[in-house]
Every structure is written in C-alpha cells, then in structure tokens.
Amino acid sequence: MNGIHDMGGMDGFGQVQPQDSEAFHELWEKQIFVANRLVRTESLNEGRLSESMNPVEYLSWGYFGRSLHSLERKALRTGLVTEEELKNPEGRLARVEGFPVIRAEEVEARFRTRRGSRIQVEVPPKFQVGNRVIVKNEHPRGHTRCPRYFRGRQGQVQRDRGVWPFPDRVAHGLGDKLQHCYSVRFAATELWGSRADPKDRVYADLFEDYLEAAT
Amino acid sequence: MTLEEDVEVHVWDSTADLRYLVIPERPQGTEGMTEDELAALVTRDSMVGVEKLKPFKSETEV
C-alpha cells in the first residue's frame, strides 16, 4: 500500500525528538504489547496492518496506538468482535467459545518461548551474492515490506539472509510463500540523486519476490 | 553530529525481520579498560549510529 506509513525519503517531519529510555509510559501500552505478542503465533508480520489506518490517526496515535489498531483489525477478521461491539464494548466478554484462551498464569511462559521467523527449509535461491538486481515497480494494495523509495532502483546482492515467510502474504493470513531474503546494497545517489554523497551506501533486506535480475 | 568529509556513511534500513545495531567506535583514552568499563561507556544513540562516543578523560587527568 502506498500509504503514509511508508515514510522513507520524505522530508518535513523535523528532527527526531529523543525521549527517555522507557519502553512503556502508560498501563494500556503494556496491555497492548502483551496482547499483540500473545495473539501472534508465527511470524512477526501476522496482522501487521497498521498501514490501513487513516493517515491522521497513524501519525498521531503513536506506536502502541498502531498496535491497537492492528489488534482490532485481527479481532474483527477472526470474528471475535463485531464493529458494533468495538464501539459499544459493554457486556462484551461473553463470546469466547471456539477461540483459544490463554490464562494469566500461562502468559509468562509464553513470553519466554522465543522463536525467530527464519525457516530452516531448503528453497532454491533465485539470486547469488554479487548479482545486480532491480527492485520491481510493483504497487501492492496490501501489506508489503518493500519501501517505495527502492522501486525501480538497481543494487547488488551482498548477502543471502536465508528463507523466511513472505510478509506480503502472512500479514493477510494467506499462507507463507517461503522465499529467500537478500541484503541488497544501493549507492545513495541511485536512491536520492545528486543530493546524496557519492561515497554513501544504503542497505535493505529485500524479499526475492521484490527483485528481478538486472540485464 | 558532524562527520569529516572523507567518511563513508552506510545506512541499514531494517525492512525485513532482521534488526541491526551498530558497534560503536572505541573512544580515545580507553586503552587498558576492562570489558565492563568499556560497556559502561556505550550509549543508545551510539548503537543506532547517530552519535560518536566522546574521548574518555579519567577523573585523575589534569
């Protein structure tokens, strides 16, 4: 989606204002963090749909506000709540039949179970280190992990990062389409034109589906 | 942060599920420090790569 969330290269946001080093400032932020962590059973990209937010909300709700939005979307998609119930949550707790339940005493163990997303499965890679690749000019309507500012640009494969579930599918619950992800290096001038220093480089981790061979 | 003209900047955009951190350049004046002493000098911003750690002056230096 060509949304507000895809900010790479945009001007006008001003300088980053460093905050304190606290991860959470309000109780609800902790609750949302825990809830999102618990409903995510596989890849980090499950339910990553905050780009579907209204742009003004996206910019003003903050990190945990965006997590809340993703959680609501997942709850709606799975039928755990209806739109009406989200607006009027009174007496809402009744319907849990058919849904997996996690009890408070199980939460800590769940958090301690760490699992990365990388998959130990042999999938033939399309590209090798050193290959020159061009990022496809595709404009997916849904979730993608390819920032707009790379589209159409040529880079060189630096490393094969292994096999992963494909975020563009996983975020919408469409299976995982396992594929290689590559670290691709770009000249800064390739991305930003003459405003960039010719010495500088930008690296991105890009999935195989985003790339085609440069001729 | 101002860098010298001859410094190459490499930017890592963590677009996929991998996360990165920067190993900060070791500051001057830290020769002979233990690992724990060195670790105490590291800042969040230096691990993001937007700060260089300042040369270290011990309290006994004049």
Side-chain angles (χ1 to χ4, degrees), chain A residues 64-131:
Chain A
F64 293 105
R66 299 196 291 271
S67 282
L68 171 59
H69 174 86
S70 291
L71 202 59
E72 286 177 347
R73 287 289 303 268
K74 188 158 189 175
L76 282 170
R77 183 163 61 83
T78 55
L80 184 62
V81 295
T82 62
E83 290 274 12
E84 186 50 41
E85 285 169 332
L86 268 184
K87 291 186 190 117
N88 298 304
E90 294 270 348
R92 163 63 198 88
L93 293 174
R95 189 195 322 122
V96 293
E97 277 165 33
F99 289 95
V101 170
I102 300 168
R103 308 207 169 279
E105 53 268 22
E106 296 171 336
V107 170
E108 187 173 341
R110 283 270 192 149
F111 265 76
R112 293 196 186 288
T113 308
R114 292 174 166 278
R115 180 176 37 186
S117 306
R118 184 155 37 194
I119 309 289
Q120 302 300 338
V121 157
E122 290 287 323
V123 172
K126 187 169 167 190
F127 300 109
Q128 311 295 325
V129 171
N131 284 173

Side-chain angles (χ1 to χ4, degrees), chain A residues 10-45:
Chain A
M10 285 173 77
D11 293 317
F13 286 101
Q15 203 167 30
V16 173
Q17 301 300 327
Q19 286 185 306
D20 57 45
S21 297
E22 294 302 310
F24 307 101
H25 293 88
E26 309 254 351
L27 175 61
W28 72 269
E29 292 177 337
K30 289 186 189 179
Q31 292 168 329
I32 293 303
F33 177 77
V34 170
N36 254 321
R37 177 66 176 78
L38 293 174
V39 301
R40 189 200 335 134
T41 55
E42 302 287 336
S43 159
L44 275 174
N45 287 290

Side-chain angles (χ1 to χ4, degrees), chain A residues 180-194:
Chain A
H180 285 258
C181 182
Y182 304 92
S183 173
V184 182
R185 185 182 73 183
F186 299 82
T189 48
E190 170 74 359
L191 301 171
W192 312 123
S194 58

